[in-house]
Amino acid sequence: MEITGRLILILPTQSGESQRGPWVRGGFVIETTDTYPRKVCFNMFGEDRIAMLNSLAMNSMVTVTFSPESREFNDRWYTDLRCISVYPAAVQGAPAAPMAGAPAATPAAPAPNFAQPPATSMPGDSNDDLPF
């Protein structure tokens, strides 16, 4: 899934040590630019993703690719929005260069050619099979 909004807050990073080695975790909040703006909080794991976030300027427009995940604990459900990649949003139709790890953009389909008007027949032509 993907969403675009203005980066309004970068949460502090947390780090620790597990049996598999060191880990780092962080998060950020964006505000959508819809008619009714929403604030959306994302979390991310790994130094490479934290580096993607630290390269962005506060209050800049960003596009976030994420995966929603839910889990149950003590009969309550909790949902996380895990950030896969975050990169600068395209400005006025110009595609932004995605950062490392961002999905590649697919080219748009070519526009139809409307240069040739459709051929029409005049009333009384031999090809006109309509009675009026």
Side-chain angles (χ1 to χ4, degrees):
M1 301 180 95
E2 205 172 75
I3 190 170
T4 300
R6 186 173 52 89
L7 180 64
I8 60 171
L9 179 66
I10 296 177
L11 302 173
T13 59
Q14 300 172 344
S15 59
E17 185 80 29
S18 71
Q19 290 179 347
R20 290 185 269 174
W23 56 268
V24 63
R25 171 184 138 159
F28 61 97
V29 179
I30 67 168
E31 184 174 43
T32 63
T33 57
D34 299 331
T35 304
Y36 301 103
R38 305 270 187 210
K39 293 180 179 154
V40 185
C41 181
F42 297 92
N43 60 41
M44 53 179 42
F45 289 92
E47 290 182 29
D48 56 338
R49 292 192 175 121
I50 300 293
M52 273 193 276
L53 179 62
N54 291 336
S55 67
L56 299 172
M58 192 63 75
N59 292 317
S60 63
M61 293 300 291
V62 296
T63 299
V64 181
T65 305
F66 65 97
S67 171
E69 297 182 15
S70 297
R71 64 189 180 288
E72 185 261 339
F73 179 73
N74 289 339
D75 295 328
R76 295 192 67 180
W77 284 89
Y78 299 90
T79 301
D80 288 330
L81 300 178
R82 296 206 177 195
C83 174
I84 298 169
S85 66
V86 58
Y87 50 93
V91 177
Q92 301 212 359
M99 300 183 72
T106 57
N113 184 3
F114 293 111
Q116 295 290 332
T120 58
S121 60
M122 299 298 292
D125 286 349
S126 61
N127 294 338
D128 188 13
D129 61 341
L130 296 176
F132 50 90

